[in-house]
Amino acid sequence: MPNKYIKKIFKEVKKLNNAVEEYTKIGKIPAMPYRAFVNLADYLFLKGSIEQSEELLNNAINFASQSSDAFVNLGVVQQSKNDYEKAIEYYKKALKKDPKNVKALCLWGNCLSFQNNNEDAIKKYERAIEIDKKTSEAYLFWGIVLLKEHKYNEAKEKFESAIKYNPKDARSLFMLGTVEIELGLYDSALEKLMFLIESSDKDIGACHNVAYIHFKKKDYEKAILYALTALSCNPFKIETYLLLGDTYVLVNKIDEAINIYELAENRNLKSLFLYLSWGTALQKNKQYEQAIEKFKQGLELNKNVTNDEIYARLAKCYFILGNKEEAKINAQKAIEISKENYMANKIIADVYIEEKNYTEAIKQLNLCLKNSETKSITFLRLAQCYKHIEDFEQSNQYYEKSLEYDRENIQVMIEYIESLDEQKNYEKATKKLITLEKIAGDKFDVLCLAFKVNYNIAKGNLYGYNGMKAIMLAEKIKTKYPNNFCFDQEYKELTSISREK
């Protein structure tokens, strides 16, 4: 007479008769009842019938079998529910029954990594490799831990080992491509990810990462194409919405970007970063009040904000709208999170400059200098501040530094030469004019500046050579820009003296 467990299993088989029939179409059920029910449970789990799968596995563990698979699978069921402690209990039971079950060790380590216990997780992977050095899953999960810790080169080695021992595991190839992106090895990563896309009918994760690679390579057309493909397969991946929206912003398709952010919001994918990107798009479109609204929505979703950019962008919007008080408050919040936030320090400097507090502005601008992309602008602002406090030596040094980073910036050159002219430093002003004229040619502003410098030199030298040059420049301006000539009095003065001589 069969015991109560056998009776229960027969009852379950009858109840799940339809599922068994479907299962037999794709695989042969072994003769052993234990294995039949583990296989059936696996099948049901993959189909999403998690509760039925769990119930069958709970029955299967009562068979007099040396196999620990049922315990492992019960652990997987619990892990899928994010109940890591319960999952670990099952993996321990599996190892008690079979101390060499490397799958149980790998999954146990995986649970520990989800609990941020990376050190103990790695110990489990090491133990699995000691039992069987070809345990590819141990290398895969170990690589993921290293990736989380930003140890990219070490993670790369682990993923390569995982592929070596199991070339058919697409996960390892995907993760190797992912870590190569972090290492800036875009072409190598692209090769691997494109293989996954072509061999697995548009792999969703690979499509997103390929879009990101093209984004980093500034091939925005392809970035948009692959991001749209990724969204068509998985319309609930917020990272893809952000990537797509940000790409549209970069190519000045602001309306398309806003449509993408609205779509994400309608799908309830609300997050701080969604509203940060949305607000940034509106800010670029000079819709500052609407941008502020979006930034605030993002802050409402996250009360413990550790993102300095959102506060800095709020500060910029308030400053442009003339609300200096709110601009300073939000800029200070950004700086509390990151002392070197360029935008926040620049906003505070701009507020001080408007208040004519140039000494404090200089302090803030010095904090902006670590941003290599804006050094030319920052040096220019420092030059202007020192000019206002009449420290011309420092001012001239910073004009020179600004031009070191942007040698052909016509506006900086014009401003510098005007400052040298005011200082009566005509020798240096003349040298700079020669460079400016080579770059800018006969532009109206350049001709006017050259006339003023030569006119001022001429007055000090009793209108000699520079007087004649100033006359020539005035006549060139009159010929090229007749409606804009504004040196009538000076021209009369120069020509009358010239006739007298």
Side-chain angles (χ1 to χ4, degrees):
M1 182 178 175
N3 64 32
K4 61 181 180 179
Y5 300 116
I6 298 294
K7 284 182 178 179
K8 190 171 184 180
I9 291 169
F10 286 158
K11 184 179 178 182
E12 292 300 330
V13 171
K14 190 173 181 180
K15 184 173 79 173
L16 299 170
N17 187 53
N18 292 335
V20 174
E21 284 180 11
E22 188 178 345
Y23 178 73
T24 55
K25 292 175 186 176
I26 62 166
K28 186 178 178 182
I29 298 180
M32 286 291 293
Y34 167 86
R35 176 51 56 194
F37 282 93
V38 171
N39 287 356
L40 178 56
D42 284 349
Y43 175 67
L44 291 169
F45 179 80
L46 291 172
K47 285 197 67 178
S49 302
I50 295 172
E51 290 182 8
Q52 292 173 323
S53 173
E54 186 176 7
E55 194 172 350
L56 280 177
L57 289 168
N58 277 315
N59 291 329
I61 61 176
N62 294 294
F63 279 96
S65 167
Q66 295 303 309
S67 175
S68 57
D69 290 356
F71 285 117
V72 171
N73 290 3
L74 278 166
V76 171
V77 170
Q78 297 307 318
Q79 199 167 338
S80 73
K81 299 175 181 178
N82 299 325
D83 190 342
Y84 302 116
E85 290 297 337
K86 200 164 185 180
I88 288 170
E89 287 178 21
Y90 283 118
Y91 298 141
K92 286 179 179 178
K93 288 177 182 178
L95 285 162
K96 188 175 181 182
K97 202 163 195 177
D98 177 8
K100 293 188 176 181
N101 191 319
V102 292
K103 186 173 183 180
L105 281 167
C106 290
L107 291 168
W108 185 354
N110 192 227
C111 284
L112 291 168
S113 72
F114 276 113
Q115 295 174 319
N116 295 315
N117 187 352
N118 293 339
E119 188 177 343
D120 286 341
I122 289 170
K123 287 178 183 176
K124 297 294 177 284
Y125 306 141
E126 288 174 332
R127 187 174 153 196
I129 292 165
E130 283 173 10
I131 294 167
D132 181 1
K133 73 173 186 178
K134 295 182 179 181
T135 307
S136 64
E137 206 161 45
Y139 295 107
L140 171 62
F141 290 158
W142 193 345
I144 291 169
V145 169
L146 293 167
L147 182 60
K148 282 164 58 181
E149 294 177 343
H150 308 294
K151 297 176 181 177
Y152 301 125
N153 285 309
E154 293 174 55
K156 183 173 180 285
E157 289 176 10
K158 293 293 180 274
F159 295 137
E160 287 170 342
S161 296
I163 292 168
K164 176 183 175 182
Y165 295 121
N166 186 3
K168 295 179 181 178
D169 190 346
R171 296 175 302 170
S172 301
L173 192 63
F174 175 79
M175 293 310 300
L176 181 57
T178 301
V179 81
E180 284 181 338
I181 291 172
E182 296 294 341
L183 289 167
L185 304 171
Y186 297 131
D187 291 334
S188 180
L190 191 59
E191 183 183 5
K192 294 172 179 62
L193 295 167
M194 287 305 297
F195 172 79
L196 288 173
I197 290 170
E198 290 162 5
S199 61
S200 60
D201 190 27
K202 296 178 182 177
D203 181 282
I204 302 164
C207 279
H208 173 86
N209 283 3
V210 166
Y212 180 73
I213 290 171
H214 287 304
F215 176 86
K216 295 297 286 185
K217 293 177 80 171
K218 299 185 179 179
D219 188 343
Y220 300 125
E221 189 175 334
K222 284 185 179 177
I224 289 168
L225 174 65
Y226 280 98
L228 286 169
T229 303
L231 281 181
S232 70
C233 300
N234 180 7
F236 296 99
K237 187 176 176 66
I238 183 61
E239 293 85 357
T240 309
Y241 286 96
L242 298 179
L243 175 60
L244 182 56
D246 292 350
T247 308
Y248 277 134
V249 169
L250 281 172
V251 296
N252 292 313
K253 293 185 176 181
I254 305 299
D255 290 340
E256 287 88 339
I258 290 170
N259 287 338
I260 288 297
Y261 301 137
E262 285 177 347
L263 189 58
E265 184 182 55
N266 291 337
R267 286 181 172 151
N268 205 31
L269 300 174
K270 300 173 185 178
S271 73
L272 172 74
F273 293 102
L274 172 63
Y275 291 111
L276 173 57
S277 291
W278 196 339
T280 301
L282 291 164
Q283 190 175 43
K284 186 172 183 181
N285 211 34
K286 298 183 179 180
Q287 295 172 260
Y288 301 113
E289 290 179 356
Q290 295 93 321
I292 288 171
E293 183 184 332
K294 293 303 169 191
F295 293 140
K296 285 184 174 180
Q297 278 183 264
L299 291 170
E300 285 170 11
L301 285 173
N302 192 337
K303 301 299 181 185
N304 300 312
V305 179
T306 56
N307 183 286
D308 53 305
E309 185 184 353
I310 196 163
Y311 285 119
R313 289 196 171 277
L314 260 174
K316 185 175 181 179
C317 287
Y318 279 121
F319 180 77
I320 291 169
L321 292 172
N323 190 337
K324 290 191 288 185
E325 191 59 36
E326 281 296 327
K328 282 178 75 173
I329 289 169
N330 284 283
Q332 288 291 358
K333 286 180 180 178
I335 290 167
E336 284 170 15
I337 297 168
S338 175
K339 291 180 181 179
E340 296 172 7
N341 185 292
Y342 169 79
M343 190 183 294
N345 281 301
K346 182 182 177 299
I347 292 297
I348 293 176
D350 287 342
V351 171
Y352 283 133
I353 288 168
E354 283 203 359
E355 294 172 348
K356 300 187 180 349
N357 188 345
Y358 300 112
T359 304
E360 289 300 319
I362 287 167
K363 290 178 186 176
Q364 294 297 139
L365 288 167
N366 278 314
L367 294 171
C368 298
L369 285 174
K370 291 188 178 179
N371 188 319
S372 59
E373 293 180 8
T374 60
K375 273 196 166 77
S376 176
I377 297 167
T378 305
F379 283 132
L380 173 62
R381 301 290 272 164
L382 281 163
Q384 291 165 340
C385 286
Y386 279 111
K387 180 183 169 185
H388 280 295
I389 60 176
E390 298 185 352
D391 186 340
F392 295 114
E393 185 179 349
Q394 286 274 45
S395 177
N396 293 348
Q397 283 179 15
Y398 281 115
Y399 276 122
E400 293 284 358
K401 283 182 174 290
S402 179
L403 289 169
E404 281 177 24
Y405 283 89
D406 192 358
R407 292 187 179 278
E408 297 191 0
N409 191 313
I410 294 169
Q411 291 308 312
V412 175
M413 283 189 183
I414 288 173
E415 188 176 314
Y416 185 21
I417 294 166
E418 285 175 342
S419 178
L420 291 169
D421 184 45
E422 289 172 21
Q423 297 168 45
K424 295 184 170 49
N425 189 342
Y426 298 126
E427 183 181 354
K428 188 175 277 190
T430 304
K431 287 179 182 177
K432 293 294 174 186
L433 263 174
I434 293 167
T435 305
L436 177 60
E437 286 167 341
K438 284 179 182 177
I439 295 169
D442 290 342
K443 285 191 173 182
F444 177 71
D445 289 350
V446 176
L447 289 172
C448 289
L449 179 61
F451 173 82
K452 284 191 282 186
V453 171
N454 280 281
Y455 172 75
N456 287 333
I457 296 171
K459 284 202 300 183
N461 292 338
L462 300 175
Y463 303 96
Y465 163 77
N466 295 101
M468 294 303 297
K469 187 170 182 182
I471 290 170
M472 289 171 58
L473 286 163
E475 289 173 349
K476 186 180 279 191
I477 297 168
K478 287 177 77 171
T479 302
K480 291 184 71 72
Y481 306 99
N483 297 326
N484 296 323
F485 188 74
C486 54
F487 300 110
D488 289 315
Q489 185 175 336
E490 292 88 345
Y491 180 68
K492 285 177 184 176
E493 178 186 338
L494 290 166
T495 51
S496 64
I497 292 169
S498 177
R499 283 194 295 272
E500 286 173 11
K501 289 187 176 183

